[in-house]
Amino acid sequence: MKTDYSIKSGLVSWQSPSNIALIKYWGKKGFQIPANASLSITLSESVTRTKIEYRPGTGKMLFYFEDKKNQAFAGKIAKYMEIIADELPYVKYLDFEIQSRNTFPHSAGIASSASAMSALALCLCSIENDISKNNLEENKNFYQRASHFARIGSGSASRSVYGKLSSWGKSEFIPDSSDLFASPVQFTVHPFFENFQDTILIVSKGEKKVSSSAGHGLMKENPFARSRYSQASANLAKLIHALKTGNSEDFIAIVENEALTLHGMMMASNPGYILMKPNTVAIIKKIQDFREQSGVNLCFTLDAGPNVHVLYPETERAGAGAFIEQELKPLCEAGQIIYDKMGNGPQRIN
Ligand code: PMV
């Protein structure tokens, strides 16, 4: 895009949600290009709020996370700004003060890169709009561009710029899909999945031993990588069908298969590693037994960590809720649970 900047001072602020993948992105080709397409639910309550004040300068940056200066994050963002400077040259001619906070408890073991990087990318695209003569904000290109910059920070963040369901990665099953940015799901989703619930069980708040970037890297030598990428593609096709038809049985089978395969890939890496905890496994077992005995439509999925996301339709709230409180809560660290659900996507705050 050709941009005509008039550098000035200003303030932008966005809140952007986390998301949970149903079809997992695990493994990259080249720089931030996914080895397979993924599809996720955008959450509602687990969000990052980021505010950027900018003024003419030379690219200096102050970063505050939850009101405290954070050098580690500042360093990461400075590197990120260097990477995107070719495409967003204004970052070299402004100074930034960035304030960021999460609504979900700090160090609850929840991946915050999706919400954090999407909030930052949305702010950077709004600044571009505010200081340039092109006003793209109402345009789909604005979100596409934000998704592209979010992807550069964290692949899964590319999907967080849209509400409900979104996909990222080139796929024969998704028209106009791209490896460079995510898109909102275009087909009509069956009412069964409206207001889908995601209850996040905090099994462990501890920092994980192997980061997601290291995990993606280990897929390069994983002997099962090729089969995994074709499995992901087949699962995506089946999931799209289940989402259109409201087939809950297929939905559950695919979502749980994806979660277990993700962790299977970690175990089969060299060196292999396990991010699940004993209570992760205990919770999975209880969910599967309860579903079989009660007929309640609920299932689990996992991120790259020990915490469990319990997914169910709004119509199953009573049954699922009582089971979670009585049977699963005692297996969580300090009984910590976050009741989240499908959300409408990011919002500009100012
Ligand atoms: O976006 P990253 O690089 O943190 O990788 C995220 C990978 C998973 O969360 C495990 C799966 C996904 O698609 O979100």
Side-chain angles (χ1 to χ4, degrees):
M1 184 177 64
K2 190 170 168 332
T3 306
D4 179 8
Y5 295 130
S6 86
I7 298 293
K8 49 191 178 193
S9 305
L11 184 153
V12 294
S13 184
W14 276 87
Q15 82 165 39
S16 189
S18 187
N19 69 73
I20 180 70
L22 303 176
I23 302 296
K24 309 291 180 183
Y25 145 60
W26 199 240
K28 310 184 196 203
K29 316 178 267 194
F31 179 70
Q32 293 296 87
I33 299 298
N36 64 267
S38 55
L39 190 148
S40 58
I41 297 182
T42 300
L43 298 182
S44 159
E45 307 303 316
S46 306
V47 306
T48 297
R49 293 199 180 107
T50 296
K51 180 172 95 181
I52 303 187
E53 285 181 68
Y54 59 90
R55 58 189 68 83
T58 54
K60 285 198 288 296
M61 194 187 15
L62 284 173
F63 185 86
Y64 296 86
F65 182 67
E66 301 193 332
D67 299 323
K68 288 197 200 83
K69 233 185 205 170
N70 189 312
Q71 282 305 119
F73 282 150
K76 281 187 189 165
I77 294 173
K79 267 201 196 125
Y80 169 75
M81 298 282 214
E82 268 175 41
I83 298 172
I84 60 169
D86 278 350
E87 288 183 86
L88 277 183
Y90 77 74
V91 298
K92 291 181 283 194
Y93 309 113
L94 293 177
D95 288 340
F96 301 94
E97 185 176 311
I98 307 178
Q99 311 244 10
S100 198
R101 56 177 65 251
N102 294 338
T103 52
F104 42 94
H106 183 42
S107 73
I110 297 187
S112 56
S113 67
S115 53
M117 292 314 301
S118 55
L120 179 64
L122 286 156
C123 285
L124 292 174
C125 288
S126 284
I127 296 175
E128 179 182 43
N129 256 359
D130 292 355
I131 64 175
S132 71
K133 297 193 169 106
N134 318 323
N135 200 334
L136 292 172
E137 204 145 319
E138 294 308 315
N139 192 310
K140 111 168 193 231
N141 285 343
F142 174 84
Y143 288 96
Q144 208 169 78
R145 192 160 166 80
S147 176
H148 160 79
F149 288 117
R151 169 186 62 88
I152 291 170
S154 160
S156 54
S158 66
R159 300 183 307 243
S160 273
V161 307
Y162 304 108
K164 313 271 185 198
L165 293 161
S166 57
S167 71
W168 166 47
K170 187 87 197 124
S171 163
E172 59 183 298
F173 308 114
I174 302 175
D176 303 323
S177 51
S178 168
D179 284 340
L180 303 180
F181 49 81
S183 347
V185 152
Q186 300 291 348
F187 54 83
T188 307
V189 175
H190 192 277
F192 177 81
F193 299 106
E194 239 164 61
N195 273 328
F196 222 59
Q197 308 288 304
D198 177 10
T199 301
I200 311 168
L201 308 177
I202 309 302
V203 172
S204 169
K205 302 189 206 179
E207 186 133 328
K208 12 180 223 204
K209 292 231 161 55
V210 182
S211 69
S212 283
S213 340
H216 286 293
L218 288 169
M219 282 301 280
K220 291 232 174 320
E221 301 299 324
N222 189 312
F224 301 104
R226 253 168 187 266
S227 331
R228 159 61 195 154
Y229 303 141
S230 30
Q231 176 206 34
S233 172
N235 275 348
L236 178 61
K238 286 189 238 162
L239 182 77
I240 291 172
H241 190 255
L243 288 169
K244 285 178 178 170
T245 56
N247 186 328
S248 61
E249 222 174 278
D250 283 357
F251 176 87
I252 289 170
I254 299 156
V255 168
E256 295 193 348
N257 179 244
E258 279 290 307
L260 294 177
T261 304
L262 170 68
H263 286 258
M265 287 299 117
M266 295 172 191
M267 291 183 219
S269 291
N270 187 11
Y273 59 103
I274 303 176
L275 296 184
M276 289 189 285
K277 299 280 182 199
N279 278 356
T280 311
V281 180
I283 288 172
I284 289 174
K285 179 88 178 69
K286 274 186 180 278
I287 289 173
Q288 291 184 328
D289 290 347
F290 174 72
R291 183 171 66 232
E292 208 175 298
Q293 287 151 18
S294 67
V296 171
N297 279 304
L298 85 180
C299 66
F300 69 85
T301 188
L302 305 164
D303 234 325
N307 302 324
V308 183
H309 291 244
V310 191
L311 304 176
Y312 48 95
E314 199 174 23
T315 47
E316 301 281 27
R317 247 171 96 166
F323 163 68
I324 290 167
E325 287 290 323
Q326 281 155 30
E327 299 288 328
L328 306 184
K329 195 174 179 160
L331 297 169
C332 298
E333 185 168 344
Q336 207 177 330
I337 291 186
I338 298 170
Y339 281 94
D340 212 326
K341 56 179 183 294
M342 193 185 265
N344 293 326
Q347 270 184 316
R348 185 161 176 177
I349 306 170
N350 68 327

